[in-house]
Amino acid sequence: MGKNEFLTPKAIANRIKAKGLQKLRWYCQMCQKQCRDENGFKCHCMSESHQRQMQIFGENPDRVVDGFSEEFENSFLDLMRRSHRFSCVAATVVYNEYINDRHHVHMNSTKWATLTEFVKYLGRTGQCKVEDTPKGWFITYIDRDSETLFKDRLKAKRLKADLVDEERQERAIQAQIERAQCSLPSTEAGGSDDQNQEEDPKLDHNLNGGKVAFLLQPTLAEAKAVKGGVKLGLEEEIEGSTSKRERRSQGKGY
Ligand SMILES: [Zn+2]
């Protein structure tokens, strides 16, 4: 139990006294009034203003204590963040720094009876890494802000990687489709068939426009038409070629 004597209110009060600060126990949190000694504190407690404050406290003591506890916790953690962000430090060191502010929320107004209790609470709630050593409780601030930032950045990175993967996959699929299209002979024939169809109007124009032009191209047109018709099995194409052949035979008749 020897190590815990360092954390008792008496020991802390003694250290404060040594530093020239007032006794913590003669401080009235509700009125934020520091009294010199027991007598002064008793006098304060009889005062009308204090009675009024105590009436407020009596109406909702839990809420008042919760409010003070929250303020105490926030201020304490602020100090940790500001002064001991990356170090493992004795809880009493932080506490002594904390109470240096004359108007700090006093621990006896909070739900924590001792600093040890508060330190254990910090560990339990994951706000500090706490360690019980032969030299007392040591605490390390857990930097949630940068931890959250780090996690967010990691998440964004992962999301980006997923997107890149997706894109890569899409491209691979697209390439596969293109390769498959290239290796298919029927689609290749279809490609040249399109060219034939584009040539057909010209051919028709030639047929209608002048016999000379038509007479120069019969075998070529016929070959193309037959090729398209057989390979694709398109009736339209066959019909087209027969009609051309008919027209051609008519032409030959002249
Ligand atoms: Zn008071």
Side-chain angles (χ1 to χ4, degrees), residues 28 30-31 44 50:
C28 175
M30 283 305 285
C31 308
H44 168 71
H50 177 79

